[in-house]
Amino acid sequence: MNAEMKPRRPRLLLAALVCRAGEIVSIEDIIDVVWGEDPPVTVRSQVQICVSAARRLLADVGMGDALKTHPFGYSLVLEPGQRDVDDFSRLVSEARAACDAGHFEGAVRSYRSALSLWRGPALSGLDSDVLRRKAVALNEERLTVLEDCIDVELLRGRERNLLSELTSHVSENPLREKLRGQLMLALHRAGRRTDALQVYREGRGRMLEDLGLEPSAELQRLEKEILNDAPELIPAYTQARGPAVPRQLPPRSGHFVGRDDIVEKLGAVLVGKPESGHPGTRSVNVYGQGGVGKTSLAVHVAHQVVQEHFTDGQLYYDLHGSEPSSVAAARVLDHFLRTLGVLPSNIPEGVDERAAMFRSCVADREMLVVLDDAADEAQIRPLLPGGHNCAVLITSRRSQPGIPTLQDVRLDVLSGPQAVELLRRFIGDKRIQAEPDAVAEVVRIADGLPLALSIVGTRLAAAPHRTVSFIAHRMYDDRRRLDELVHGNQAVRTTIASTYDALHPPLRRLLSKLSLFDMETIPGWMAGAVTGLGTEEAHDLMDEAAACQLLTPVEAEPTDHPRYRIHNLIRLFLKETASQLTQAERRDAVRHVTGAWLALVDEAHRQLYGGDFTLVRGQSPRWEPPRDVVGQVVTDPLGWMDGERSGLLAAIAVAGEYGFDEACWDLAVALVTLFEVRRYHDDWKDTHETALNLVLRTGNVRGEAATRCSLGSLYLSQRNVEKALPYLEKARSLFEELCDVGGMALSARNIALTWHIQGSLDKALREYEHAADLFLEVGDPVGRAHVWCNTAQIHVSRGDLAMAEQQLTAALRTCQDVGNPRVTCQVLFRLGELQLVRGHAERSLGYFRKALAIVRTQADQEGEGYVQRGLGRAHLVLGNLAEAARCFQSALSVADTTGSLQDAALAKGGLAEVYLAQGQHQRARALLEQALRVISGSGDTETSARFSALLARVS
């Protein structure tokens, strides 16, 4: 039954799915096919519309279930015989197999059956750049198969029957040299040598005219052979057959997925001509961690390229380079030489002599040599052919930079959609669609490692009664995950161990120690901290670990400050090996790393605050990090802390695990600025609860006081005064017992802020003044400046603008003297607000703009929201309504990014005032109603009353 789909977009979508039948085609790929480089904003909904249209058409022809939906895209599942290109490929494979077996008549029948499936150019009438590129490849494949077929028919002496067909094909493809050569050969064998030479001359003229190039050396040679009536032109079927052609490739995996870019790259290297003047072979080394799929990729690529190249055969050998005893090159050469027909008695003993004989044997042959799981350059070098006719495909766990003729290509883990597709190949689409969440969890846990995914897929395929959730649950526990990833002779733990066990002891100990820290990425300097080695020696160890693929460099470009990632399953293995370290070794590693983080965070705090101000520091020992790392902190302290957030959180967690109470609370409290500015409230709460539980167990009173005081600050930042106050009062009590003046000052300041927020201004002012006296006693000018910034707000609310300006001016001078950009910004903001109250809107803009420059330098999004609202108010007063609207909209955008409903409500209220001034009452009413729903429950009575009054004006 046939059906026609006329709408363009569904036709393109269906064509894309048909071209990749059986694969999951991502939504991004579909967009590329249908819309190209300029998709509309609503493209994803339009994709769904196209899919629905395609489904209706398929349902009309009884294929309603063929189009499947996946979490990452769509797939078209076809039965055998429903796609002509599959039949074409099958018939071509049968033809080539028949050729290899010497069954030429059967080969011709299969070739001709394959070619008869074509009804014109591929994918004609589809205006998509992606599909046009696919069509070019398909049309090229058709011509290649046609040439192969004609080669076999010429071999069987059917040149006269081919003359008409060849003439037509050469006319249609005048620059196709293979077809022109076949026509020349057929004419010559048919006794028409003059016509054959004329075909050459016409082709040469066309090539010079169109391309400016002479015909290929092969075509020129054929012309000379025709002129000389060379015996080589006698049909091959009249000549004796030589020795059997070696075809040693293992069968390709039926579960190979993805890797399209690398497959294309490897194929191009293997079949491409060497660079001009390049004496080496066409050789490439695919390297990557164990289990990443190197062998599967190599075999897949090899089978692809031998369909049209390397007619003299393929050699394959598993070198077992990842095992303790790899295969000696001499043994491999003995195998190759015997395969190539050398009598055992003629094979020399020495490896160099065998290598020389091997190079001689393959010098004039076009062969592919596949060396699987190579150990190192010493094993590889003797096995490389010397000429340019052969290609070499190597897999290894290391790059091989010492062999100049060898191109290194690194293979990484699978992407999420590729990992899902691999599982689908094992367990089918039905089970994938039935449990998408469980499938996603398995993919996450396996971290894209093909070996792990294949083991899971094999186990599930062998147990069709088991759900994906069942094995996902069993893999969830870190302690048993590697135990689950075993099937038959495949085991992830064994694969990783084969690399780890070959390392020298210092490197093994380094990796085991690094595994103690659950970080997203590891900075290179940590190697020095955990080993106690100098910078250069530590970096050498990290480079060696990366070369063995147990660490993966994060940066694609060279850097002086490398970072590394540990694959999740490798990390679990290394955690197991960490149990072989002594308790003292593990504790020393944790102590040194947390000491290094503390030293770096101390420096970041000094850069932000101008010194060790407004902070209770612990007595945990510091470890001096390299100077260049300190330089990174100085350049951008807040950005550095944000970039190292994963490592800092991991250090707090492991310090808690090993009972280092002083380091745990010290580091947690030191990170409050990061948590506050970036609104990492969950991190703030989690790290401080870890620290508080630990100091309570160990009886660390000062640590308890500091942690409670910081938790009180967290709840204050969330406007949760009732929860903040008990923490702060307990912290002050403990600091008073310890006579810790700095801690008492911080507690008093924060308690004053609770009264301030609640509107108890007299109590707040007294508490602020007490805090200022304590900051003066302890020598903390920044603490005093921060207090003045807060008390100034109270004076403004009471109309004492002169006192407010006096305090803010003193605070600004203090912060600028010590070099504290953070509190400077806060003071500038308050000065801007004060000028607005005084009626000096133009002057307030200057203060707000200075504050904006600081918050943007520090990437302080919450701070930018505050400043943008201040700018908006100033512009509103000045009548700059368009600029006011822009500022409030920027503030609203920031609030949406940070997730602050309170800030968003304030921005909406400001924007509503702009709309009121513009006469857009309906828009103003909508924004005020949204804002009041949030503000009315926040305790901010003043703002709530103002917004209510504005709403009353437009209701």
Side-chain angles (χ1 to χ4, degrees):
M1 182 175 180
N2 295 320
E4 182 179 1
M5 175 177 281
K6 293 184 178 180
R8 171 184 172 274
R9 291 172 182 169
R11 287 178 67 233
L12 293 178
L13 177 138
L14 195 56
L17 294 173
V18 170
C19 286
R20 294 171 60 181
E23 298 179 31
I24 296 177
V25 182
S26 70
I27 293 174
E28 289 74 18
D29 286 351
I30 291 172
I31 292 170
D32 286 344
V33 170
V34 181
W35 285 274
E37 297 181 356
D38 189 27
V41 175
T42 59
V43 66
R44 291 186 177 269
S45 61
Q46 293 195 38
V47 168
Q48 295 174 354
I49 294 171
C50 293
V51 169
S52 298
R55 280 206 171 101
R56 287 194 296 272
L57 178 74
L58 291 170
D60 290 342
V61 294
M63 297 173 61
D65 296 329
L67 207 168
K68 310 291 185 182
T69 301
H70 303 273
F72 307 98
Y74 301 90
S75 69
L76 188 67
V77 180
L78 300 179
E79 297 295 331
Q82 288 185 316
R83 194 172 72 150
D84 52 7
V85 72
D86 295 330
D87 292 338
F88 176 76
S89 297
R90 175 181 56 79
L91 289 165
V92 170
S93 296
E94 291 175 2
R96 286 171 175 157
C99 280
D100 292 342
H103 302 148
F104 300 113
E105 293 299 329
V108 171
R109 284 194 298 273
S110 295
Y111 273 135
R112 287 297 177 181
S113 295
L115 291 167
S116 69
L117 296 172
W118 286 77
R119 295 183 293 275
L123 304 174
S124 60
L126 297 174
D127 59 331
S128 164
D129 289 341
V130 174
L131 294 179
R132 274 193 284 269
R133 290 193 293 271
K134 177 65 175 177
V136 169
L138 289 170
N139 290 326
E140 173 64 25
E141 185 177 3
R142 171 178 174 267
L143 286 174
T144 300
V145 169
L146 173 66
E147 291 166 347
D148 290 348
C149 178
I150 291 172
D151 272 343
V152 180
E153 293 185 275
L154 287 172
L155 185 71
R156 304 308 295 158
R158 296 175 181 167
E159 46 273 351
R160 294 182 183 277
N161 297 334
L162 293 169
L163 288 175
S164 175
E165 180 183 10
L166 276 170
T167 301
S168 174
H169 288 313
V170 170
S171 176
E172 294 171 358
N173 303 277
L175 299 179
R176 189 97 181 173
E177 290 186 286
K178 180 68 179 287
L179 285 171
R180 188 170 294 275
Q182 289 174 328
L183 177 56
M184 291 166 59
L185 182 60
L187 287 166
H188 173 67
R189 288 182 180 174
R192 297 167 58 182
R193 186 168 68 164
T194 301
D195 292 339
L197 294 172
Q198 179 61 28
V199 168
Y200 173 81
R201 286 191 291 272
E202 290 173 356
R204 179 175 180 271
R206 184 67 180 268
M207 291 176 197
L208 287 171
E209 179 181 348
D210 291 358
L211 307 177
L213 297 174
E214 287 284 348
S216 66
E218 182 178 353
L219 202 61
Q220 292 183 45
R221 183 172 62 250
L222 178 59
E223 184 226 16
K224 292 178 181 177
E225 289 173 346
I226 292 172
L227 281 169
N228 298 325
D229 204 14
E232 289 84 2
L233 301 183
I234 298 172
Y237 64 86
T238 65
Q239 301 175 11
R241 296 192 58 169
V245 176
R247 303 190 184 279
Q248 297 184 339
L249 290 179
R252 71 170 95 191
S253 169
H255 300 130
F256 182 84
V257 299
R259 319 288 203 188
D260 293 344
D261 291 344
I262 293 183
V263 168
E264 183 178 356
K265 179 178 181 178
L266 295 180
V269 172
L270 295 174
V271 306
K273 296 179 181 180
E275 297 175 4
S276 178
H278 193 337
T281 58
R282 308 188 310 252
S283 52
V284 61
N285 172 50
V286 179
Y287 70 99
Q289 71 185 77
V292 81
K294 300 181 295 296
T295 298
S296 180
L297 171 67
V299 172
H300 179 83
V301 171
H303 275 286
Q304 278 200 343
V305 297
V306 300
Q307 292 180 12
E308 301 179 10
H309 304 274
F310 310 110
T311 55
D312 292 324
Q314 316 100 39
L315 298 172
Y316 172 89
Y317 208 100
D318 185 349
L319 302 178
H320 296 282
S322 59
E323 299 179 9
S325 299
S326 58
V327 180
R331 179 178 172 184
V332 181
L333 288 166
D334 179 81
H335 169 77
F336 283 170
L337 291 170
R338 290 170 184 260
T339 301
L340 294 170
V342 179
L343 294 174
S345 58
N346 293 335
I347 297 176
E349 289 297 322
V351 66
D352 291 340
E353 291 78 9
R354 290 183 180 183
M357 179 177 283
F358 171 64
R359 291 193 293 270
S360 297
C361 287
V362 298
D364 296 324
R365 305 191 192 194
E366 187 185 5
M367 300 189 73
L368 175 65
V369 180
V370 180
L371 304 175
D372 193 16
D373 193 16
D376 50 32
E377 294 163 7
Q379 186 188 37
I380 294 170
R381 282 185 184 277
L383 306 178
L384 297 178
H388 65 270
N389 290 328
C390 292
V392 183
L393 179 55
I394 300 169
T395 70
S396 176
R397 296 193 184 177
R398 288 174 169 267
S399 63
Q400 308 293 342
I403 304 178
T405 59
L406 197 59
Q407 295 190 41
D408 277 319
V409 175
R410 185 176 183 277
L411 187 62
D412 208 341
V413 295
L414 296 173
S415 66
Q418 291 171 343
V420 173
E421 174 61 16
L422 179 56
L423 282 177
R424 190 190 69 79
R425 297 286 179 92
F426 282 96
I427 65 176
D429 196 55
K430 183 178 180 181
R431 293 172 79 180
I432 292 289
Q433 289 193 8
E435 300 180 85
D437 292 341
V439 169
E441 181 65 8
V442 168
V443 168
R444 183 194 67 79
I445 291 172
D447 203 5
L449 189 68
L451 175 60
L453 292 162
S454 296
I455 290 172
V456 172
T458 303
R459 290 183 59 185
L460 286 170
H465 58 287
R466 290 292 190 188
T467 64
V468 180
S469 301
F470 170 78
I471 198 163
H473 176 74
R474 293 182 60 149
M475 292 172 63
Y476 186 78
D477 187 346
D478 287 354
R479 294 167 298 180
R480 61 180 296 173
R481 186 172 302 161
L482 294 179
D483 295 330
E484 293 295 328
L485 293 174
V486 178
H487 183 80
N489 62 354
Q490 291 185 312
V492 171
R493 181 186 282 111
T494 303
T495 299
I496 301 171
S498 64
T499 300
Y500 177 84
D501 292 343
L503 305 178
H504 53 95
L507 182 51
R508 290 204 299 267
R509 286 194 296 273
L510 167 63
L511 292 170
S512 298
K513 291 176 180 178
L514 290 176
S515 72
L516 299 173
F517 303 89
D518 287 326
M519 304 165 57
E520 292 176 4
T521 61
I522 299 171
W525 61 260
M526 269 185 62
V530 300
T531 61
L533 296 173
T535 302
E536 293 182 0
E537 294 90 341
H539 280 313
D540 288 344
L541 285 178
M542 296 293 273
D543 288 343
E544 176 63 16
C548 297
Q549 307 305 309
L550 292 176
L551 296 180
T552 303
V554 174
E555 292 85 358
E557 301 297 328
T559 174
D560 291 333
H561 305 286
R563 305 185 68 83
Y564 304 88
R565 178 181 180 271
I566 305 181
H567 188 277
N568 290 342
L569 299 177
I570 294 177
R571 185 189 301 279
L572 291 179
F573 173 85
L574 294 176
K575 278 182 173 291
E576 293 179 354
T577 68
S579 63
Q580 300 169 14
L581 300 170
T582 66
Q583 179 72 359
E585 285 179 310
R586 293 195 295 273
R587 290 182 64 81
D588 283 346
V590 173
R591 185 183 296 108
H592 290 160
V593 170
T594 53
W597 285 123
L598 278 166
L600 292 168
V601 172
D602 286 347
E603 186 58 40
H605 186 88
R606 293 187 196 103
Q607 295 299 318
L608 290 169
Y609 286 86
D612 295 323
F613 303 128
T614 66
L615 178 70
V616 177
R617 286 185 59 185
Q619 302 303 313
S620 185
R622 270 59 172 169
W623 182 86
E624 184 176 355
R627 290 184 180 179
D628 59 337
V629 179
V630 176
Q632 291 180 281
V633 178
V634 171
T635 302
D636 181 10
L638 199 58
W640 174 85
M641 283 197 290
D642 204 4
E644 297 291 2
R645 175 178 161 222
S646 168
L648 292 163
L649 297 179
I652 293 170
V654 77
E657 180 184 348
Y658 279 80
F660 291 120
D661 56 328
E662 190 75 3
C664 185
W665 78 258
D666 200 354
L667 189 52
V669 169
L671 292 178
V672 164
T673 299
L674 171 67
F675 298 153
E676 183 178 26
V677 173
R678 297 291 194 262
R679 299 184 67 87
Y680 295 143
H681 289 168
D682 289 342
D683 290 346
W684 195 342
K685 183 173 183 290
D686 293 344
T687 57
H688 281 58
E689 287 184 348
T690 295
L692 183 59
N693 290 334
L694 181 57
V695 296
L696 288 173
R697 286 202 311 270
T698 61
N700 188 328
V701 177
R702 189 164 182 268
E704 180 187 352
T707 308
R708 287 186 182 279
C709 185
S710 187
L711 278 169
S713 294
L714 165 63
Y715 298 126
L716 276 178
S717 71
Q718 297 173 327
R719 294 295 198 234
N720 192 340
V721 175
E722 291 76 14
K723 197 166 186 178
L725 194 55
Y727 279 96
L728 296 171
E729 288 177 335
K730 178 65 174 177
R732 175 157 68 178
S733 173
L734 293 174
F735 280 130
E736 288 174 346
E737 290 178 16
L738 297 169
C739 299
D740 189 318
V741 180
M744 292 161 58
L746 288 171
S747 300
R749 182 200 65 186
N750 291 345
I751 289 172
L753 186 55
T754 64
W755 302 129
H756 192 166
I757 293 172
Q758 290 180 321
S760 302
L761 300 186
D762 290 334
K763 292 174 69 175
L765 198 56
R766 287 195 298 272
E767 199 68 59
Y768 277 136
E769 290 170 352
H770 177 53
D773 292 339
L774 291 172
F775 279 126
L776 178 62
E777 180 181 346
V778 80
D780 188 339
V782 173
R784 294 189 78 206
H786 193 265
V787 168
W788 292 334
C789 191
N790 290 339
T791 56
Q793 294 178 69
I794 297 177
H795 294 310
V796 169
S797 68
R798 291 178 168 179
D800 193 349
L801 304 186
M803 176 59 75
E805 186 162 15
Q806 178 184 339
Q807 290 191 330
L808 288 172
T809 302
L812 182 62
R813 188 183 308 112
T814 297
C815 291
Q816 290 175 338
D817 287 345
V818 300
N820 183 312
R822 177 157 173 74
V823 181
T824 295
C825 180
Q826 296 171 8
V827 176
L828 287 168
F829 177 76
R830 296 304 177 193
L831 280 166
E833 289 190 318
L834 176 62
Q835 296 307 317
L836 275 178
V837 174
R838 283 184 176 275
H840 301 152
E842 195 69 49
R843 193 178 300 173
S844 73
L845 285 176
Y847 287 116
F848 286 138
R849 285 167 177 159
K850 290 178 181 178
L852 184 63
I854 295 175
V855 294
R856 284 182 170 173
T857 299
Q858 296 184 342
D860 181 353
Q861 288 187 312
E862 185 176 19
E864 180 168 353
Y866 274 88
V867 177
Q868 291 284 12
R869 293 200 302 272
L871 285 166
R873 291 195 299 273
H875 283 298
L876 182 61
V877 171
L878 292 169
N880 303 329
L881 299 185
E883 190 62 23
R886 188 193 64 78
C887 293
F888 284 123
Q889 285 166 347
S890 296
L892 182 57
S893 177
V894 169
D896 289 340
T897 300
T898 61
S900 172
L901 297 177
Q902 179 84 3
D903 291 347
L906 293 172
K908 289 176 180 178
L911 192 56
E913 290 190 73
V914 177
Y915 290 151
L916 273 174
Q918 293 174 331
Q920 301 185 56
H921 290 186
Q922 187 173 352
R923 298 180 73 181
R925 183 188 304 113
L927 287 175
L928 286 168
E929 289 173 348
Q930 295 172 25
L932 274 168
R933 281 196 289 270
V934 176
I935 295 296
S936 59
S938 68
D940 188 349
T941 55
E942 181 181 346
T943 302
S944 180
R946 184 163 59 87
F947 285 1
S948 296
L950 290 171
L951 184 60
R953 287 172 51 189
V954 296
S955 298

